[in-house]
Amino acid sequence: MALDDSTMDQLLDTVRKFVRNRLVPLEEQVSMEDHMPAEVVQEMRELGLFGLTVPPEFGGLGLSTEEECRVVLELGYTSPVFRSVFGTNNGIGSQGLVIDGTDEQKAKYLPKMATGEIIGSFALTEPDAGSDAGSVTTTAVLDGDSYLLNGTKRYITNAPEAQLFTVFARTDPTTKGSKGVSAFLVDADLPGITLGKSNRKMGQQGGHVCDVIFDDCRVPRDAIIGGQANLNRGFLTAMKTLDRGRLHIAALAVGCSERLIEEALTYAMERKQFNQPIAEFQLVQAMLADSRTESYAGRTMVMDAAKRRDAGEPVTTLASCCKLFATEMVGRVADRAVQIHGGAGYMEEYPVARFYRDVRLFRIYEGTSQIQQTLIAKNMVRDAR
Amino acid sequence: MKVMVPVKRVVDYNVKVRVKPDGSGVDLNNVKMSVNPFCEIGIEEAVRLKEAGSATEVIAVAVGSTACQEQLRTCLALGADRAVLIETTDEVQPLGVARALAALQAKEEAGLVIFGKQSIDGDNCQTGQMFAALANMPQGTFASEVTIEGDKVKVIREVDGGLQTVQLSMPAVVSTDLRLNEPRYASLPNIMKAKKKPLDVHSPQDLGVDVAPTMEVLNVAPPAERAAGIIVDSVEALVDKLKNEAKVIS
């Protein structure tokens, strides 16, 4: 559903106000205490942030890719840990369900995901299955009318807060690759699920990541996304969510770069050395100009690819281009922002040090930069044949 | 009980306003416009009265150009039930707005009309008071607390150096002060639903009122720029300058 301009403007304006007036002042506290205040999560629920991409018939906003990206650009202005609270519900946690779920599954989960009553968590990665995601060894063995899940999932974002896991497990033991893997909807309160200790992370404090261990966890037979018809087809479902998810992360990276540039510019105009603001020095100007240019390129790429996806074009290659460029770009921008701040940039008094750590993750999750490069080139060669 | 809330479209409070070079007014080209913050407090109060069961309907009203529909939609997203735009391309001033609103009130017969105490652009602090006089209604201005008690409304007013509590017979006029409430964020689903709520457009002629300006703005000037300071060599020199040049101490 495409929104008219004035409604979209108002939506963005509201998100912008919430981000700048409510979330930005909390950044430092959330990071220092490594804790997301419950009332902020509640305000996010009331605002409707959990249901951005859930279709309206299930109580969400049903935003198009372009609209979603524009909202995410605004969210990128603050610590990415806030977006992380409802990121899965809008991305990999719900989209597989939207695309491939049975009517019963959609009716059971989507309305609660849209309101944020259920927080979703995506459990794919394992100790030995990272970029080689198809090599998962967690098993799901049919036992009567249910499956028994066994295995360990690693670095699972939001696991301590989640009510619902999307778990990828091997249902065909005769296969080794992605072909014998199914995607399960697993309620977090089922017996046989234990959580590891929260990992101590480089950044994004306030969001939590840990191991999720399945030990004879019994899940109903119809817990496979799309039902038995989708047995051994979990990766096909996952693949369908990737393009949109990558554009989402790219938009987030661009949003963060815009904040970093604003911080760097403000500092450069205030900080005086040799009797003048450092923004007057050409070497500092070069860093500002490069950052602005690259950030603008990133924004333009994301908006273009998002529009193309909404128009029905295949955007797998473009989505990877956006994810690769935007996340690498924000790394450079964050580095320059710290450099412009000088010694102050190494201190926690200014937000750039925190952002520098936070944005490092973007180049790793939802497909590392190297995976994106490989994908882009493979697609180029394939298309040229 | 109906509650009517007049709202004004003003330059957003975050915008750094610039005066036109010819001094004829503020440059509004490409400037972000918003609901006047005091009016937004008025909407919030009205919506809270409805949520508490004291009000049955909240009507947001604006007087001005077609563009004011944008701000009325914001009010609908915040919880107003319907909106009315009294549309005119003329420049509107407090007296014209008060006249148009009084004519509308004669039709709507709202039990309570909640104004923002003043707009952050004109800073006149006149419209609510003029409206109360024209509509022959009692008024409780600069409210920091509003309580409905039967057919009366109790208003705690922020006055210099303290608080004054007054009781008004309804229909009555209230104008909001900053501390009355903290407006909510419109939820994103409500923003999308706002488009479906009714927004009626009237002309001043429909209502039989004349909103033509009665006052002419002669000049608008930005605050004078602060002159550069000087660094003095000693405390003695400072005291001397304060005494003999600035003449702020004797």
Side-chain angles (χ1 to χ4, degrees):
Chain A
M1 183 171 73
L3 295 180
D4 61 274
D5 287 351
S6 74
T7 306
M8 193 60 210
D9 285 347
Q10 214 171 86
L11 208 126
L12 292 174
D13 197 45
T14 303
V15 173
R16 192 176 302 136
K17 263 201 256 175
F18 181 69
V19 164
R20 293 175 191 227
N21 299 343
R22 183 71 178 120
L23 301 184
V24 170
L26 281 172
E27 285 174 358
E28 201 179 350
Q29 179 200 321
V30 168
S31 171
M32 298 285 282
E33 295 175 3
D34 192 17
H35 172 72
M36 185 64 65
E39 63 268 23
V40 177
V41 179
Q42 187 53 29
E43 286 168 39
M44 290 170 175
R45 288 192 181 104
E46 283 163 13
L47 206 58
L49 290 171
F50 282 87
L52 298 173
T53 62
V54 175
E57 59 267 35
F58 298 107
L61 299 186
L63 297 186
S64 68
T65 315
E66 183 193 351
E67 290 160 352
E68 179 193 356
C69 286
R70 290 178 70 186
V71 170
V72 175
L73 282 164
E74 294 296 338
L75 294 168
Y77 188 83
T78 188
S79 290
V81 67
F82 291 113
R83 184 224 58 112
S84 189
V85 174
F86 50 84
T88 317
N89 280 39
N90 287 300
I92 46 185
S94 71
Q95 288 304 297
L97 200 47
V98 171
I99 298 167
D100 278 346
T102 63
D103 290 345
E104 292 78 31
Q105 289 169 343
K106 288 182 188 175
K108 183 177 175 192
Y109 291 115
L110 288 178
K112 288 181 179 171
M113 295 193 91
T115 56
E117 193 184 321
I118 287 182
I119 291 184
S121 178
F122 193 76
L124 169 60
T125 301
E126 294 182 358
D128 295 316
S131 286
D132 183 10
S135 67
V136 295
T137 58
T138 295
T139 55
V141 177
L142 196 57
D143 179 53
D145 230 11
S146 47
Y147 284 96
L148 283 178
L149 292 184
N150 280 290
T152 296
K153 295 293 179 181
R154 179 139 293 174
Y155 307 145
I156 304 307
T157 304
N158 278 345
E161 287 83 17
Q163 284 79 38
L164 178 69
F165 291 108
T166 304
V167 181
F168 286 79
R170 190 163 299 283
T171 32
D172 181 355
T174 63
T175 60
K176 284 221 155 70
S178 62
K179 278 196 180 135
V181 175
S182 302
F184 289 85
L185 294 163
V186 180
D187 293 319
D189 58 0
L190 287 179
I193 302 177
T194 44
L195 301 181
K197 224 175 106 186
S198 271
N199 294 100
R200 290 174 58 219
K201 310 191 299 310
M202 177 180 184
Q204 303 211 13
Q205 270 69 27
H208 303 113
V209 171
C210 69
D211 280 3
V212 181
I213 302 128
F214 298 91
D215 182 14
D216 278 343
C217 172
R218 193 173 283 278
V219 297
R221 201 160 176 259
D222 58 8
I224 293 177
I225 295 183
Q228 280 294 314
N230 263 5
L231 181 68
N232 298 334
R233 296 165 64 86
F235 265 88
L236 294 176
T237 298
M239 300 290 277
K240 291 175 195 170
T241 69
L242 291 182
D243 291 353
R244 189 168 184 156
R246 285 172 180 160
L247 291 173
H248 180 114
I249 298 300
L252 183 65
V254 174
C256 287
S257 74
E258 291 175 357
R259 166 71 182 277
L260 282 158
I261 292 167
E262 198 177 299
E263 294 289 344
L265 179 63
T266 306
Y267 186 83
M269 289 170 70
E270 280 168 6
R271 169 73 174 167
K272 283 190 179 144
Q273 285 293 278
F274 307 101
N275 298 321
Q276 55 180 321
I278 60 169
E280 301 296 329
F281 294 112
Q282 290 186 340
L283 290 175
V284 172
Q285 289 178 345
M287 289 193 275
L288 288 169
D290 285 351
S291 295
R292 179 73 194 273
T293 305
E294 289 191 273
S295 170
Y296 174 55
R299 177 178 267 265
T300 310
M301 285 172 76
V302 172
M303 294 319 295
D304 175 69
K307 279 181 192 158
R308 286 173 189 271
R309 185 178 185 277
D310 288 336
E313 278 184 46
V315 294
T316 302
T317 306
L318 297 185
S320 284
C321 293
C322 290
K323 206 262 173 187
L324 171 64
F325 180 80
T327 60
E328 291 285 332
M329 175 275 288
V330 75
R332 294 190 291 271
V333 169
D335 189 78
R336 291 185 200 115
V338 169
Q339 194 66 19
I340 289 169
H341 278 69
Y346 199 69
M347 304 299 152
E348 292 294 329
E349 276 77 18
Y350 290 86
V352 293
R354 189 180 65 240
F355 268 88
Y356 179 88
R357 297 190 301 270
D358 287 350
V359 303
R360 188 63 184 82
L361 180 60
F362 298 158
R363 290 154 62 189
I364 299 169
Y365 68 2
E366 302 233 3
T368 60
S369 291
Q370 290 64 40
I371 287 289
Q372 308 301 337
Q373 287 173 316
T374 316
L375 268 168
I376 295 164
K378 267 188 190 161
N379 290 348
M380 287 168 68
V381 171
R382 181 199 64 200
D383 294 345
R385 280 216 172 102
Chain B
M1 179 186 67
K2 278 188 202 175
V3 181
M4 185 159 100
V5 185
V7 296
K8 186 174 184 186
R9 172 182 166 90
V10 298
V11 173
D12 187 85
Y13 69 94
N14 283 312
V15 172
K16 188 166 186 266
V17 294
R18 290 175 205 281
V19 172
K20 288 187 199 164
D22 65 0
S24 62
V26 167
D27 190 353
L28 296 180
N29 263 332
N30 270 327
V31 165
K32 180 172 157 50
M33 305 294 282
S34 293
V35 177
N36 177 43
F38 289 110
C39 301
E40 203 175 335
I41 293 172
I43 289 285
E44 176 67 29
E45 194 63 18
V47 172
R48 288 187 190 186
L49 288 174
K50 191 183 168 194
E51 286 168 349
S54 306
T56 51
E57 190 183 29
V58 177
I59 312 157
V61 188
V63 184
S65 69
T66 317
C68 295
Q69 290 198 16
E70 206 184 301
Q71 280 63 45
L72 288 173
R73 295 276 174 216
T74 304
C75 297
L76 293 171
L78 287 167
D81 296 292
R82 63 186 171 92
V84 178
L85 171 61
I86 302 169
E87 188 176 328
T88 172
T89 50
D90 285 337
E91 183 209 335
V92 284
Q93 294 177 349
L95 185 57
V97 173
R99 281 186 186 138
L101 292 171
L104 187 70
Q105 165 64 3
K107 287 173 57 173
E108 295 284 358
E109 296 180 333
L112 194 62
V113 182
I114 307 180
F115 283 83
K117 72 166 179 180
Q118 69 193 73
S119 61
I120 60 167
D121 55 355
D123 270 344
N124 290 309
C125 191
Q126 293 175 346
T127 311
Q129 292 87 330
M130 286 175 169
F131 170 88
L134 291 170
N136 198 23
M137 285 158 70
Q139 57 181 315
T141 50
F142 318 140
S144 63
E145 200 177 310
V146 174
T147 321
I148 307 287
E149 292 172 345
D151 57 355
K152 303 256 196 313
V153 53
K154 194 173 86 182
V155 179
I156 300 181
R157 306 181 58 230
E158 296 201 350
V159 293
D160 282 350
L163 300 172
Q164 182 193 44
T165 306
V166 295
Q167 194 180 50
L168 316 170
S169 297
M170 294 196 285
V173 175
V174 167
S175 80
T176 65
D177 214 321
L178 196 62
R179 282 157 289 274
L180 178 57
N181 61 51
E182 193 178 329
R184 70 194 68 191
Y185 293 96
S187 82
L188 307 185
N190 284 345
I191 291 172
M192 292 170 73
K193 285 178 204 147
K195 201 80 187 178
K196 298 196 184 93
K197 290 185 178 177
L199 193 164
D200 297 322
V201 181
H202 297 298
S203 70
Q205 291 76 31
D206 293 345
L207 298 168
V209 288
D210 177 11
V211 295
T214 52
M215 175 184 73
E216 191 188 344
V217 174
L218 299 179
N219 188 44
V220 176
E225 280 197 31
R226 192 168 156 266
I230 52 166
I231 295 174
V232 292
D233 296 330
S234 62
V235 175
E236 287 75 25
L238 175 67
V239 172
D240 177 62
K241 296 243 180 232
L242 289 174
K243 225 180 223 173
N244 301 316
E245 270 183 38
K247 296 194 166 67
V248 288
I249 54 173
S250 51

